[in-house]
Amino acid sequence: MMEASKKSELISYPIRDIVQEAKVLQKQGKDMIYLNIGDPGPYGFRPPQHILDAAEKALHANYSGYAPSDGDPELKQVIADYEKVQSDDVFVCSGLSEGIDFLFQAMVDPGRNIILPSPTYPLYLTKQRMSFGSEVFYESDENWEPDVEDMRKKINKYTKAILVVSPNNPTGAVYSKKTLQDIVNLAGEFKLPIISDDAYELLVFDGSSSNLRDLCKEVPIVNGNSLSKNYIYPGARVGYIAFRGEGWDKIKDAVQRLCNQRLSVNWEMQRAYIAAIQGNTDHVTQFNSELKKRCDVLDQRIKAIPGLKMVKPKGAFYAFVEVEAPFKNKWKSDWAFVRALLHEGVVVVPGTGFTSTLHDRMFFRIVFLPPVEKLNQALDRIENFMKKN
Ligand SMILES: Cc1ncc(COP(=O)(O)O)c(C=O)c1O
């Protein structure tokens, strides 16, 4: 038997890991409702037609070669205009996932860290671990807004950057302008750059939102974005990171080399991204109104289930649901809870996949993309499960 590398043992992605267990039950005939993955496609949401048209047009034009490693020059310029940076500040990646990978590779040596929100999108945990970085989280308040005072306490001489994700995965929180401004002030005080993950930037259905790029002024920032969620096209696998402000030269140089070694990003889909940024965003209004409907249903249903509690999301399409005492005491862990729920035909993701600082509380992440009827069916199953236990 060949051994896998030690480093590979650090890789986990609970959002998909749980599916393997669900598939076993499904094979045995169990009807499963998948509320684990943030992919709008299976629930009938499609990319806007003008983006698909641009992809098709590119397929018939001459984009079958390797693209420039840092991205199609026209796309880089369109992104630069959107982010209000220069074209050579922009690096096109295979989804924002690759951008996140590049940032960790370029910025985090062993023992160093990017300070992460708790809870956070799991890829950040894995990348921090694989960089042999130290695991440092800042806590969130009861509404899932960052606790900026806790952030202050956790920043140390090994901190290389502050990660901010708003709208947030897994909580659906959309941070207030004041919180964002406080983070900018803190970053300025400690001379740290900010990483702003804007994967859900356009998906805000309750209230308004601000973006750090408009608040940062002298504080260096890197904004990450992609076609996946904002334009409902995760399969396109195109995203970018865009650097703004002073001091990035060595990191940009490292990112350029990381781009070079993997050759390029799918060129046809880069052409589609140009159409996305230049075209209308009518889909956003419609998508958000559908998300709001589903979120309202989820909120009402969760409120009515004894033992479950959640803060109502304002953006993205996730909620982080708490299993309260005494109900949680029955389970050895959130994984045990989620595995038992699998047997009721509902797939969600355990809270510990998103942080290691839950302080003895138990959570799971639920996706509210399915149509209301399907969502209600899943919630009926969850309600029965909670009643039985
Ligand atoms: C917060 C956040 N950032 C980044 C990503 C990665 O997105 P992609 O690689 O599809 O662009 C995701 C995907 O779910 C996400 O939720």
Side-chain angles (χ1 to χ4, degrees):
M1 172 83 93
M2 283 178 280
E3 295 288 331
S5 71
K6 285 275 166 266
K7 195 169 168 173
S8 70
E9 287 170 16
L10 301 171
I11 304 169
S12 76
Y13 194 69
I15 295 168
R16 283 181 185 248
D17 295 345
I18 191 74
V19 173
Q20 287 165 4
E21 300 187 32
K23 291 281 179 217
V24 174
L25 290 172
Q26 201 170 9
K27 259 202 185 136
Q28 294 163 4
K30 184 105 217 149
D31 175 50
M32 284 290 178
I33 303 178
Y34 288 88
L35 303 178
N36 59 305
I37 190 161
D39 183 354
Y43 299 110
F45 296 107
R46 297 279 295 139
Q49 191 57 43
H50 63 278
I51 303 180
L52 293 172
D53 290 345
E56 190 181 355
K57 196 168 154 210
L59 208 58
H60 298 293
N62 194 9
Y63 292 103
S64 54
Y66 289 122
S69 293
D70 51 351
D72 176 295
E74 208 178 320
L75 174 59
K76 276 166 60 97
Q77 189 56 57
V78 168
I79 293 168
D81 294 344
Y82 180 79
E83 293 290 351
K84 300 189 188 78
V85 296
Q86 302 301 311
S87 162
D88 63 5
D89 296 319
V90 175
F91 297 85
V92 179
C93 310
S94 293
L96 178 51
S97 302
E98 190 182 50
I100 294 168
D101 178 37
F102 286 177
L103 289 174
F104 274 89
Q105 293 205 53
M107 297 179 78
V108 184
D109 273 322
R112 308 295 191 266
N113 69 81
I114 292 172
I115 183 167
L116 307 178
S118 174
T120 191
Y121 176 55
L123 183 62
Y124 290 102
L125 294 180
T126 295
K127 291 296 159 195
Q128 186 106 286
R129 286 173 190 154
M130 291 194 75
S131 316
F132 302 103
S134 41
E135 255 176 58
V136 185
F137 295 95
Y138 58 89
E139 297 296 338
S140 309
D141 71 11
E142 66 282 3
N143 292 315
W144 297 125
E145 289 256 332
D147 178 343
V148 183
E149 276 319 298
D150 189 61
M151 196 183 282
R152 172 187 292 284
K153 284 187 218 142
K154 304 281 178 61
I155 289 172
N156 58 35
K157 63 178 176 179
Y158 302 116
T159 308
K160 307 301 285 183
I162 299 169
L163 172 70
V164 181
V165 187
S166 176
N168 186 271
N169 177 4
T171 65
V174 177
Y175 302 161
S176 71
K177 191 170 179 183
K178 178 180 179 313
T179 303
L180 295 175
Q181 189 60 61
D182 288 348
I183 295 172
V184 170
N185 295 345
L186 193 72
E189 197 182 316
F190 285 90
K191 300 210 175 340
L192 284 173
I194 293 177
I195 299 171
S196 179
D197 179 324
D198 303 333
Y200 302 90
E201 180 177 10
L202 305 179
L203 307 185
V204 177
F205 47 82
D206 183 0
S208 59
S209 66
S210 307
N211 190 286
L212 280 161
R213 78 170 73 79
D214 303 317
L215 305 172
C216 263
K217 297 196 175 85
E218 280 87 51
V219 171
I221 179 166
V222 50
N223 285 85
N225 215 320
S226 82
L227 263 186
S228 298
K229 319 288 179 164
N230 290 317
Y231 299 95
I232 325 184
Y233 205 168
R237 306 310 304 133
V238 191
Y240 67 83
I241 47 177
F243 295 87
R244 169 120 66 101
E246 300 294 308
W248 288 114
D249 288 357
K250 287 186 180 163
I251 294 184
K252 277 165 52 183
D253 181 60
V255 170
Q256 179 67 60
R257 283 180 283 118
L258 286 158
C259 288
N260 293 349
Q261 50 92 45
R262 63 81 166 105
L263 305 182
S264 76
V265 173
N266 180 309
W267 207 340
E268 285 101 355
M269 289 304 165
Q270 295 191 60
R271 302 300 298 175
Y273 207 162
I274 297 173
I277 299 179
Q278 286 183 332
N280 69 61
T281 47
D282 295 351
H283 71 284
V284 172
T285 320
Q286 207 195 342
F287 193 22
N288 280 336
S289 101
E290 288 298 323
L291 291 176
K292 184 171 174 357
K293 256 190 253 166
R294 289 155 168 78
C295 184
D296 287 345
V297 169
L298 177 70
D299 184 52
Q300 279 163 15
R301 293 289 313 261
I302 294 288
K303 272 197 189 117
I305 301 177
L308 296 184
K309 192 172 100 177
M310 70 176 216
V311 180
K312 194 175 178 189
K314 294 182 169 174
F317 31 69
Y318 312 98
F320 209 46
V321 181
E322 178 160 16
V323 185
E324 294 181 292
F327 296 86
K328 82 175 179 77
N329 303 338
K330 180 157 188 234
W331 311 98
K332 260 212 316 253
S333 67
D334 55 351
W335 274 94
F337 176 90
V338 164
R339 283 197 177 108
L341 189 55
L342 281 184
H343 288 268
E344 298 296 315
V346 182
V347 189
V348 294
V349 187
T352 50
F354 302 87
T355 175
S356 39
T357 65
L358 282 176
H359 307 292
D360 227 18
R361 292 169 72 187
M362 189 189 280
F363 292 86
F364 61 88
R365 188 194 75 170
I366 190 166
V367 167
F368 55 85
L369 283 165
V372 166
E373 202 184 325
K374 194 84 186 161
L375 196 59
N376 267 321
Q377 200 187 346
L379 286 155
D380 289 343
R381 292 179 187 182
I382 294 175
E383 188 166 15
N384 283 339
F385 173 74
M386 290 300 288
K387 269 190 198 143
K388 274 199 296 196
N389 292 285

